[in-house]
Amino acid sequence: MEPEYFKISSGLKNLIGSELITDNFVAVFELVKNSFDAKATEVKISFEDIRSNHTRITIQDNGKGMDYSDLVNKWLFVAYSAKRDGTEDQEDYRNKLRPDWFYAGAKGVGRFSCDTLGRYLNLITIKNEPNAKIENLKVDWKKFEEDQKKEFITIPVEHNILQNTTHNLKHGTILEITGINLGEWNRENLKKLKHKLSKLVRPDLNKSIKEKKFKITLDIPEEKDNDEKETEKGLLKGENEGYFYYNTVNGEIKNFIFDELDIRTTKIVSTISLDGKYVTTELIDRELFIYKIKEQNKYDLLKDISITLYFLNRGAKSVFSRRMGIQPVEYGSLFVYKNGFRIYPYGERGDDSLGIDNRAVQGYNRFIGLRNLIGQVDIQGENPELREATSRDAGMVKTKAYYQLSDASPFADSLLLTTLKRLEKYVVDVTQWGINDENYEIRDSKDAKEGLVKLISNIYDDKTLVSVNYNKDIINLLDQKEAKSAKKLLANFKRIAAESKNDQLLKDAKNLETRIVQQSKALESATKELHEKEKQGKTLKDELDQQTSETLFARAVVTTESKELLSVQHHIYRHSAQHISSFLDNLIIAINNESPKDKLLEMVNKIAFENKKIITLSRFVTKANFDTTTNRIKADLIKFVNEYVTNVYSEYKHLAMNNQNLDIKCFTPNDLIFEFTFKPIELIIILDNLLSNSFKAKAKMVKLIWEKAKDNETVLRVIDDGIGIPDKNVNKIFDFRFTTTNGSGLGLYHSKDIIEKMGGSITLNNKIKQGVEFILKFKK
């Protein structure tokens, strides 16, 4: 009998094209991934005539390109993937030198994403070899839909060899897509595309593959004017870099690296080794190392995989939003990457494919949900059992390896769930969600330190454990009144050590016992020293009272020289004497009320902290190599101001009453420099006066925005969000001794006097929506 064969209807095109990949964004992802697999280092995505019926999408890469044989035997070979059968780069010796290279796709259908984007495809490609021809394919996808009775292989695809091309292409591939529905790519959709492309490539991909860089660029000429308007709007509002990125559409695609955002939060990383033998887990709390453990890998189907999770406390969310220009919940949560490329839809807002939110609902206040979580799962190597579903927005195929990696259902045991539980054990059981408070420190919490000992002891109970390293300093109890708790903690620790029969734990228990005894003795010595400081404090207060009296007396003298002296005196008085005097008053009251020693020590510590700020200022001055009281210097005025408010003045916010923080941000156009001759002390006085007034006006944020006016002139706009200045006082604020803050009335008077002597000016604008704006002009 003669065998029979399947026929393939032309309707197959829809099944593997527009009906398989229904999302325009995912379709673009697939074509970008193909460029990456073609060894491209750059992909340019262009949109032309987006407001007409002639919209054109062009995706151009500088990859290895294709010749006629590649087109016929690979590109036109439906569902065939040379990547999957290992023949894609057999002839490429570089592949032998780079065994770490893996492909982003290997299904053999990604090319049909072109059908999702538009009716017509014009493919131009040049192979990276000598005397390569310019190959061209033209496809009308609609022809495959005219008659399903026609066989797929009978629908012609036009092939040409071009003599030249208008594109600047030495080698690589160009996909020109037309026949696109009107309005399909408006500005909002283009912004969404940029946002989604930002998360397509794993943030550190270019760092991990040293030999290869991969760059994606969006080019939409018709939207450049709108981009400029958004940029101007952002500059006026003093927005951060993230705002400009997410509110424009043109430019290079970037993905943030969480570590570089300098966000203080808790981070846990679990990594399965390349050979699959071990799992290493490290926990860090706001740059403080907590523990690192190594254990045998119980997930037999997993290897060369890592999971990184960040707990987003309130402070972390706030910093993320300010720096990224987008709320964390809008950015996404837990992303999954394979060989550097994202698997969709994991991480999308509202997506709970991994079941983390569903689990969190079942354990309110015990489990962490996606609103408080951000991170990534990184799958490296082939890992064939962890593969993307053919429908590119359906995540991964649900294999046994998938469940070992990410199952979060009740009673599940997966690498993701184990990592998440360890993060929860710390955030919930040890800190009791205290990490939501930016000022929380585990070092200061007796309960947290006891909880940490329990946590470490439970880790030691695990029979698969290979090694444990943890922060031994955290469990020190410093206060003598906690001696009873310290002894109890020590007893528990010694018991745990004995039961575990672990030599290292026994040694740590003995060391802990020695430290507690030493700390008890040190505290007794500190108590005696405190009594001496109390006596010295009373003497210092008398001297400060006398200094205050002399300062007030000096206000009656109004000569030019005395005004300059008052300016310096006012500066020192406000930032040194007032803080120390206030702390000493509180210290004496506390002593008279026989307050606990820990409270007295806290006040002495504040005085020492203020002294440290004075030292910081002196170091800054010494480092700059100038005398702030007399000498003039010639330097970049903009750099001086920015460095001062960043490195010196911002330290004062830690002494703010009622935990009011003054967030100061500097915004400087690229390459703006203003060489200027000035007295550093005069400029410091101006800045301190303006910033202190903002603080008194209950401002939370101050923006310093630099602008270029003329070649010999620059403008500094100082804007705060405080309570502002009433219209009735606008004409008086620069008057001598006029004050609305119960101050001396000298600050703005001297600021105006100093800047006018420099040849500049200072004016007030109180017509902003909230707060006040001072405009400072400096002229050479």
Side-chain angles (χ1 to χ4, degrees):
M1 294 178 62
E2 290 294 325
E4 297 296 338
Y5 299 93
F6 281 104
K7 292 183 179 181
I8 302 175
S9 165
S10 59
L12 175 68
K13 187 274 301 181
N14 286 348
L15 294 178
I16 58 176
S18 58
E19 292 180 7
L20 178 66
I21 300 173
T22 59
D23 186 298
N24 280 336
F25 306 123
V26 176
V28 174
F29 293 173
E30 288 302 308
L31 300 176
V32 170
K33 287 160 68 175
N34 282 348
S35 294
F36 177 82
D37 287 344
K39 303 299 193 324
T41 59
E42 183 172 356
V43 178
K44 183 178 179 182
I45 306 170
S46 303
F47 289 79
E48 302 171 68
D49 297 326
I50 59 173
R51 299 182 182 92
S52 75
N53 286 314
H54 305 291
T55 302
R56 179 192 303 271
I57 301 174
T58 303
I59 301 176
Q60 176 175 341
D61 69 48
N62 64 347
K64 61 184 180 180
M66 293 178 282
D67 58 17
Y68 181 73
S69 175
D70 293 325
L71 288 176
V72 173
N73 297 314
K74 295 179 182 179
W75 203 91
L76 290 173
F77 197 167
V78 178
Y80 170 73
S81 173
K83 307 167 195 174
R84 186 166 51 197
D85 70 9
T87 62
E88 176 69 13
D89 289 300
Q90 264 188 342
E91 75 286 356
D92 192 345
Y93 73 93
R94 290 171 299 177
N95 190 51
K96 298 177 182 178
L97 299 177
R98 291 192 43 190
D100 60 331
W101 178 269
F102 295 96
Y103 294 102
K107 294 286 186 181
V109 295
R111 69 205 74 159
F112 287 90
S113 298
C114 299
D115 178 34
T116 303
L117 295 173
R119 174 176 175 176
Y120 302 104
L121 169 66
N122 183 32
L123 182 153
I124 303 169
T125 184
I126 305 174
K127 191 157 187 173
N128 187 12
E129 62 183 15
N131 303 315
K133 296 179 180 179
I134 306 174
E135 302 288 347
N136 174 228
L137 288 181
K138 291 185 178 180
V139 183
D140 179 358
W141 300 110
K142 198 74 173 177
K143 289 183 177 180
F144 291 86
E145 302 173 10
E146 293 173 352
D147 185 357
Q148 290 192 34
K149 292 182 179 179
K150 285 188 176 182
E151 292 196 44
F152 191 92
I153 60 174
T154 64
I155 309 296
V157 173
E158 181 181 339
H159 171 256
N160 299 293
I161 295 177
L162 306 181
Q163 297 303 313
N164 53 62
T165 173
T166 57
H167 297 279
N168 182 19
L169 183 69
K170 293 183 179 179
H171 57 82
T173 300
I174 296 170
L175 305 175
E176 292 181 341
I177 301 168
T178 54
I180 298 165
N181 294 332
L182 178 64
E184 201 157 292
W185 290 102
N186 55 35
R187 183 172 178 83
E188 282 307 306
N189 281 340
L190 289 167
K191 284 169 66 176
K192 287 179 183 177
L193 175 64
K194 185 178 182 182
H195 178 66
K196 291 176 182 292
L197 280 171
S198 298
K199 296 171 287 187
L200 174 62
V201 180
R202 196 181 71 226
D204 62 341
L205 178 66
N206 285 335
K207 290 187 175 183
S208 61
I209 302 179
K210 296 179 182 178
E211 300 92 336
K212 181 180 180 66
K213 298 291 180 184
F214 188 63
K215 177 181 176 183
I216 307 171
T217 305
L218 267 179
D219 180 39
I220 307 99
E222 289 173 271
E223 289 296 330
K224 288 185 178 179
D225 287 343
N226 289 329
D227 284 353
E228 289 181 7
K229 291 177 183 177
E230 285 291 343
T231 300
E232 290 173 3
K233 188 189 302 183
L235 286 172
L236 289 173
K237 292 164 64 178
E239 296 288 355
N240 274 313
E241 183 180 355
Y243 172 89
F244 301 106
Y245 181 79
Y246 285 111
N247 286 279
T248 57
V249 295
N250 283 280
E252 182 179 348
I253 301 299
K254 299 178 182 178
N255 196 349
F256 82 99
I257 297 178
F258 206 81
D259 291 339
E260 293 181 357
L261 291 180
D262 192 27
I263 295 178
R264 284 168 50 83
T265 187
T266 303
K267 168 187 176 181
I268 190 168
V269 181
S270 290
T271 303
I272 299 182
S273 59
L274 183 64
D275 58 13
K277 291 183 178 180
Y278 301 106
V279 181
T280 304
T281 302
E282 183 173 12
L283 179 70
I284 296 174
D285 180 5
R286 290 171 286 190
E287 299 181 358
L288 179 68
F289 169 73
I290 303 299
Y291 69 72
K292 183 175 183 179
I293 61 175
K294 182 178 181 180
E295 56 195 323
Q296 295 170 3
N297 178 25
K298 58 184 177 181
Y299 307 109
D300 61 315
L301 299 177
L302 303 182
K303 63 180 180 180
D304 201 10
I305 292 170
S306 70
I307 295 177
T308 304
L309 303 178
Y310 295 88
F311 172 72
L312 288 180
N313 56 23
R314 283 190 289 267
K317 290 178 182 178
S318 177
V319 173
F320 185 99
S321 299
R322 288 199 306 271
R323 298 185 181 178
M324 294 294 292
I326 189 173
Q327 296 287 335
V329 68
E330 294 174 7
Y331 184 87
S333 52
L334 185 56
F335 302 94
V336 178
Y337 294 93
K338 183 168 185 182
N339 295 320
F341 278 82
R342 183 183 169 195
I343 298 178
Y344 205 78
Y346 304 116
E348 282 295 288
R349 181 176 184 176
D351 176 72
D352 191 32
S353 300
L354 300 174
I356 291 175
D357 267 348
N358 183 57
R359 173 178 175 271
V361 170
Q362 302 170 32
Y364 178 73
N365 265 350
R366 291 188 297 119
F367 300 151
I368 297 174
L370 292 177
R371 291 188 66 86
N372 294 104
L373 197 67
I374 196 167
Q376 61 193 46
V377 177
D378 296 318
I379 306 167
Q380 296 295 324
E382 292 183 3
N383 271 307
E385 292 304 308
L386 293 172
R387 59 185 182 272
E388 192 174 0
T390 304
S391 179
R392 291 306 209 261
D393 55 358
M396 289 189 287
V397 178
K398 305 304 185 288
T399 62
K400 290 182 179 179
Y402 167 84
Y403 288 110
Q404 283 191 7
L405 173 66
S406 60
D407 192 358
S409 58
F411 311 111
D413 183 14
S414 67
L415 179 64
L416 173 61
L417 193 55
T418 298
T419 306
L420 181 59
K421 284 180 177 179
R422 282 178 172 156
L423 180 63
E424 289 169 341
K425 283 289 183 183
Y426 181 79
V427 171
V428 180
D429 295 350
V430 175
T431 72
Q432 298 175 357
W433 298 96
I435 195 170
N436 260 319
D437 179 2
E438 284 188 81
N439 298 316
Y440 177 87
E441 293 288 348
I442 187 174
R443 299 180 183 92
D444 302 330
S445 172
K446 176 190 69 174
D447 292 336
K449 285 181 282 191
E450 289 187 358
L452 185 58
V453 171
K454 294 177 183 176
L455 178 63
I456 293 170
S457 68
N458 288 335
I459 290 174
Y460 268 104
D461 284 341
D462 193 334
K463 303 303 181 185
T464 65
L465 198 66
V466 176
S467 64
V468 178
N469 184 20
Y470 59 92
N471 192 328
K472 301 174 179 65
D473 295 331
I474 300 175
I475 55 179
N476 295 339
L477 295 177
L478 304 178
D479 198 327
Q480 194 174 31
K481 70 181 182 181
E482 293 179 343
K484 184 176 180 180
S485 296
K487 291 176 181 177
K488 180 180 178 181
L489 173 62
L490 179 60
N492 288 338
F493 199 41
K494 291 170 73 175
R495 175 186 57 78
I496 293 165
E499 290 176 357
S500 67
K501 297 181 181 180
N502 185 284
D503 293 339
Q504 184 59 49
L505 267 185
L506 288 167
K507 183 178 178 181
D508 291 342
K510 291 178 181 178
N511 290 339
L512 175 61
E513 185 175 28
T514 301
R515 285 198 297 271
I516 290 175
V517 172
Q518 290 174 344
Q519 288 155 8
S520 179
K521 292 179 179 178
L523 188 59
E524 290 178 6
S525 176
T527 303
K528 292 179 182 178
E529 186 178 348
L530 178 61
H531 290 305
E532 294 298 321
K533 294 294 182 183
E534 290 171 359
K535 294 178 183 178
Q536 294 176 17
K538 290 179 181 179
T539 304
L540 182 57
K541 184 179 185 303
D542 292 339
E543 293 175 359
L544 288 170
D545 288 342
Q546 178 64 28
Q547 181 181 350
T548 302
S549 175
E550 292 171 357
T551 303
L552 291 173
F553 174 77
R555 288 173 61 187
V557 185
V558 198
T559 65
T560 302
E561 290 184 359
S562 67
K563 286 179 182 178
E564 291 178 355
L565 177 61
L566 277 170
S567 178
V568 177
Q569 202 170 35
H570 176 66
H571 170 69
I572 296 171
Y573 174 74
R574 180 191 299 157
H575 290 302
S576 298
Q578 279 193 348
H579 285 305
I580 295 174
S581 179
S582 174
F583 293 147
L584 284 171
D585 284 341
N586 293 335
L587 178 62
I588 291 169
I589 292 170
I591 292 171
N592 292 335
N593 292 337
E594 297 183 352
S595 297
K597 290 184 178 61
D598 59 339
K599 187 173 183 180
L600 300 179
L601 283 170
E602 180 184 357
M603 293 179 181
V604 171
N605 185 53
K606 286 184 177 180
I607 296 172
F609 195 71
E610 173 59 22
N611 183 57
K612 184 179 179 182
K613 296 300 161 292
I614 296 172
I615 294 172
T616 301
L617 177 57
S618 70
R619 285 177 178 171
F620 178 76
V621 171
T622 303
K623 188 175 181 180
N625 196 27
F626 53 73
D627 181 350
T628 58
T629 59
T630 56
N631 293 342
R632 293 180 181 275
I633 64 168
K634 185 174 183 181
D636 181 2
L637 178 75
I638 296 170
K639 183 178 179 182
F640 178 90
V641 170
N642 291 352
E643 286 188 359
Y644 175 74
V645 298
T646 301
N647 299 334
V648 180
Y649 189 90
S650 60
E651 294 295 327
Y652 287 107
K653 68 183 181 183
H654 299 294
L655 303 178
M657 299 296 289
N658 301 321
N659 292 320
Q660 180 187 352
N661 291 326
L662 193 61
D663 189 7
I664 307 171
K665 298 183 180 299
C666 301
F667 301 91
T668 309
N670 291 336
D671 303 323
L672 182 59
I673 297 174
F674 191 75
E675 292 288 335
F676 191 62
T677 301
F678 60 94
K679 284 185 178 182
I681 188 62
E682 292 180 341
L683 207 54
I684 289 172
I685 290 169
I686 294 172
L687 295 169
D688 286 359
N689 286 332
L690 294 176
L691 295 172
S692 295
N693 285 345
S694 294
F695 179 81
K696 291 177 181 178
K698 303 187 183 305
K700 297 291 185 183
M701 177 179 288
V702 179
K703 299 174 183 176
L704 275 63
I705 303 175
W706 292 94
E707 297 174 350
K708 182 178 180 180
K710 302 175 183 176
D711 289 340
N712 66 337
E713 183 178 319
T714 191
V715 174
L716 173 60
R717 297 166 55 227
V718 182
I719 306 170
D720 72 34
D721 60 353
I723 58 177
I725 297 174
D727 289 341
K728 64 180 182 179
N729 294 332
V730 168
N731 296 325
K732 302 177 184 177
I733 60 167
F734 294 110
D735 291 349
F736 188 66
R737 292 186 184 175
F738 179 80
T739 178
T740 60
T741 61
N742 296 321
S744 63
L746 291 170
L748 290 176
Y749 167 79
H750 283 294
S751 297
K752 185 174 187 291
D753 183 57
I754 290 170
I755 198 169
E756 287 180 350
K757 286 180 178 178
M758 291 181 179
S761 64
I762 180 171
T763 55
L764 167 71
N765 172 25
N766 72 328
K767 299 299 182 182
I768 62 177
K769 186 175 181 180
Q770 180 180 352
V772 69
E773 177 185 27
F774 286 93
I775 304 169
L776 287 70
K777 291 186 179 180
F778 298 90
K779 296 181 181 180
K780 294 182 181 179

